[in-house]
């Protein structure tokens, strides 16, 4: 089992291409070709987690938060980030982060939070845009089926839970081969007309190189004609936050109590109670204030997130109950999510959840 076997599996679930521009998901230290001796799963990577991995003979740490967000100009051990990186490199421990890309998939971090609250009818709160592209190409009639299938095999033509979706029209293509060419059909120096199928299908943008490679490999023509268009369509399975519904309506205090019990909270910060009933819930693990207006527009009764500043609470303006449960608290079950994924796919391999509490926030009183 190589480290890349594990990271490749994780990237089929949460492609690195789905991460936000400020993020640093992916392999941070280590070599993907290393034989993996075991995995430690943690919300954060700290010096203590590195030492735990060493003690338990695990050479891969899979964490939600990246230990490095921005480039390091010096590594002298002056802060916990540098000390953690030094310890990992010195002991040949790989660190892999799966952060906002796991936040942005429907079955990721937010789905886990929704499960803990027993929500139903889960939907992405703010679907991602500009993640889809369309390929338009042309193939001889008797070769079109093979070209189309190669594109499907490369990941093209998937729309939601449907696969192998395409649109095909028949027409006539023309070309004249020049000197030095090796045309599949026709003669050099003479215009040729060929009955062709125009194939149109969509694909996720991060697959572009794979799609083009598959097209060129399967297509019989020496020079393949194709167009790629960027689409403005949203991707319903990818995006920020989640909405869901409670099976039965709850009062505001009952809902907050449910939140406390489900996540073992010491406290919840929230806006003024207004006596509304809670049925539809919007949520976002981590710092999700940027989704407040989307939560209001979704007609949710409560928006649950973390890291809300004092003045930002005013912006709820009695239109929604806004609740801050704490950053670590909101994402604490991400380790459980990753553990379940890896154990399901690698049942006979050492996958461990960290025993280190990496929450930097403590409460007194």
């Amino acid at each position: 089992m190589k480290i890349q076997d594990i990271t490749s599996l994780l990237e089929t679930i949460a492609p690195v291409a789905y991460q936000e521009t400020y993020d640093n998901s992916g392999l941070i230290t280590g070599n993907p070709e290393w034989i993996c001796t075991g995995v430690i799963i943690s919300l954060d990577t700290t010096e203590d987690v590195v030492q735990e991995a060493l003690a338990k003979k695990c050479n891969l740490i899979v964490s939600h938060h990246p230990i490095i967000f921005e480039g390091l100009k010096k590594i002298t051990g002056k802060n916990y980030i540098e000390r953690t990186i030094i310890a990992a490199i010195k002991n040949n421990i790989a660190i892999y982060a799966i952060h906002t890309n796991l936040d942005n998939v429907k079955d990721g971090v937010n789905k886990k939070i929704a499960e803990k609250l027993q929500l139903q009818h889960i939907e992405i709160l703010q679907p991602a845009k500009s993640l889809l592209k369309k390929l338009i190409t042309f193939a001889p009639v008797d070769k079109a089926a093979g070209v189309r299938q190669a594109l499907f095999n490369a990941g093209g033509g998937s729309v939601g839970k449907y696969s192998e979706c395409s649109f095909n029209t028949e027409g006539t293509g023309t070309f004249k081969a020049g000197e030095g060419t090796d045309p599949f059909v026709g003669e050099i120096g003479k215009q040729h007309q060929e009955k062709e199928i125009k194939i149109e299908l969509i694909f996720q943008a991060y697959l572009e190189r794979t799609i083009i490679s598959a097209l060129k490999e399967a297509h019989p023509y020496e020079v393949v004609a194709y167009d790629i268009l960027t689409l403005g369509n949203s991707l319903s399975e990818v995006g920020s936050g989640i909405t869901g519904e409670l099976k039965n309506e709850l009062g505001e205090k009952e809902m907050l109590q449910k939140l406390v019990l489900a996540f073992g909270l010491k406290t919840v910060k929230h806006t003024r109670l207004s006596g509304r009933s809670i049925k539809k819930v919007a949520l976002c693990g981590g710092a999700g204030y940027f989704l407040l207006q989307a939560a209001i527009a979704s007609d949710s009764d409560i928006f649950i997130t973390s890291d809300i500043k004092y003045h930002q609470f005013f912006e709820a303006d009695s239109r929604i109950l806004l609740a801050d449960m704490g950053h670590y608290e909101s994402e604490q079950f991400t380790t459980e999510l990753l553990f379940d994924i890896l154990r399901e796919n690698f049942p006979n391999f050492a996958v461990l959840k960290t025993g280190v509490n990496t929450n930097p926030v403590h409460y007194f009183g």
Side-chain angles (χ1 to χ4, degrees):
M1 179 83 69
K2 293 182 179 180
I3 283 173
Q4 69 179 4
D5 295 326
I6 295 166
T7 60
S8 294
L9 180 276
L10 292 173
E11 287 173 15
T12 64
I13 295 164
V16 174
Y18 291 167
Q19 69 177 316
E20 300 296 333
T21 55
Y22 63 82
D23 203 5
N24 190 33
S25 294
L27 194 63
I28 293 174
T29 67
N31 188 325
E33 292 294 326
W34 285 350
I35 299 299
C36 187
T37 61
V39 184
I40 290 282
I41 301 171
S42 181
L43 193 64
D44 308 279
T45 302
T46 64
E47 295 169 86
D48 288 341
V49 175
V50 172
Q51 292 304 315
E52 179 186 30
L54 189 61
K56 294 181 178 178
K57 302 186 186 307
C58 295
N59 68 341
L60 173 61
I61 297 170
V62 174
S63 70
H64 184 46
H65 298 131
I67 181 65
I68 301 174
F69 271 103
E70 299 176 351
L72 295 176
K73 293 184 177 181
K74 298 179 181 179
I75 305 179
T76 61
K78 67 180 180 182
N79 57 42
Y80 87 94
I81 295 174
E82 294 180 8
R83 291 192 300 271
T84 301
I85 294 297
I86 290 171
I89 293 174
K90 182 178 179 180
N91 292 288
N92 292 328
I93 293 176
I95 300 173
Y96 182 86
I98 181 167
H99 189 212
T100 52
N101 48 326
L102 190 60
D103 289 333
N104 287 338
V105 292
K106 190 173 181 179
D107 291 329
V109 174
N110 294 313
K111 175 73 172 298
K112 194 66 179 178
I113 298 171
E115 287 177 356
K116 294 296 179 180
L117 293 173
Q118 300 172 309
L119 301 185
Q120 305 173 346
H121 312 304
I122 302 300
E123 300 290 344
I124 293 287
L125 173 58
Q126 183 171 280
K129 293 184 177 181
S130 301
L131 291 179
L132 290 174
K133 292 191 175 186
K134 175 186 277 191
L135 170 73
I136 302 172
T137 191
F138 313 85
V141 172
D142 62 341
K143 299 293 183 180
V147 170
R148 191 165 48 241
Q149 191 59 52
L151 294 170
F152 293 155
N153 293 344
S158 293
V159 181
K161 294 183 179 180
Y162 293 86
S163 61
E164 301 194 3
C165 303
S166 69
F167 188 78
N168 304 269
T169 50
E170 188 171 335
T172 302
T174 66
F175 61 84
K176 182 166 67 174
E179 292 295 330
T181 62
D182 183 20
F184 176 71
V185 289
E187 299 179 31
I188 294 175
K190 293 184 178 180
Q191 187 192 83
H192 178 78
Q193 295 188 1
E194 182 72 19
K195 291 294 184 181
E196 295 180 333
I197 300 293
K198 178 183 180 182
I199 304 169
E200 302 180 55
L201 54 78
I202 66 170
F203 61 91
Q204 293 195 39
Y206 75 92
L207 292 173
E208 183 169 339
R209 288 186 180 180
T210 304
I211 291 289
I212 293 174
S213 177
L215 171 64
K216 291 181 176 179
E217 185 175 343
H219 205 289
Y221 287 177
E222 185 178 23
V223 178
V224 184
Y226 64 90
D227 299 317
I228 290 181
L229 310 176
T230 298
L231 305 180
N233 307 49
S234 60
L235 196 56
S236 61
E237 301 294 309
V238 181
S240 302
I242 263 181
T243 63
E245 294 184 357
L246 296 166
K247 185 176 181 180
N248 299 303
E249 287 188 358
L250 294 176
E252 291 170 315
K253 289 184 178 180
E254 291 178 290
M255 182 64 211
L256 293 174
Q257 182 64 20
K258 183 179 182 70
L259 190 61
V260 167
L261 294 176
F263 289 84
L265 306 180
K266 298 183 184 300
T267 185
V268 181
K269 296 190 293 183
H270 59 84
T271 50
R272 183 175 58 188
L273 303 182
S274 63
R276 64 163 51 86
S277 295
I278 306 296
K279 177 67 173 179
K280 187 172 183 180
V281 178
L283 60 86
C284 179
Y289 163 74
F290 70 100
L291 291 171
L292 175 59
Q293 296 307 317
I296 293 171
S298 73
D299 292 325
S300 293
D301 303 303
I302 184 172
F303 179 41
I304 302 166
T305 187
S306 69
D307 296 351
I308 303 171
K309 297 179 181 179
Y310 175 83
H311 290 285
Q312 292 172 342
F313 278 97
F314 285 108
E315 295 182 30
D317 198 23
S318 300
R319 293 173 293 174
I320 195 170
L321 178 60
L322 181 57
D324 184 332
M325 65 188 293
H327 196 123
Y328 178 91
E329 290 79 5
S330 71
E331 296 179 330
Q332 62 183 294
F333 295 113
T334 303
T335 54
E336 183 179 300
L337 169 66
L338 291 169
F339 178 82
D340 290 343
I341 291 170
L342 293 181
R343 283 299 296 271
E344 180 180 351
N345 287 276
F346 306 106
N348 299 316
F349 192 70
V351 179
L352 307 173
K353 288 185 283 188
T354 183
V356 178
N357 183 342
T358 63
N359 190 357
V361 179
H362 298 267
Y363 301 92
F364 179 80

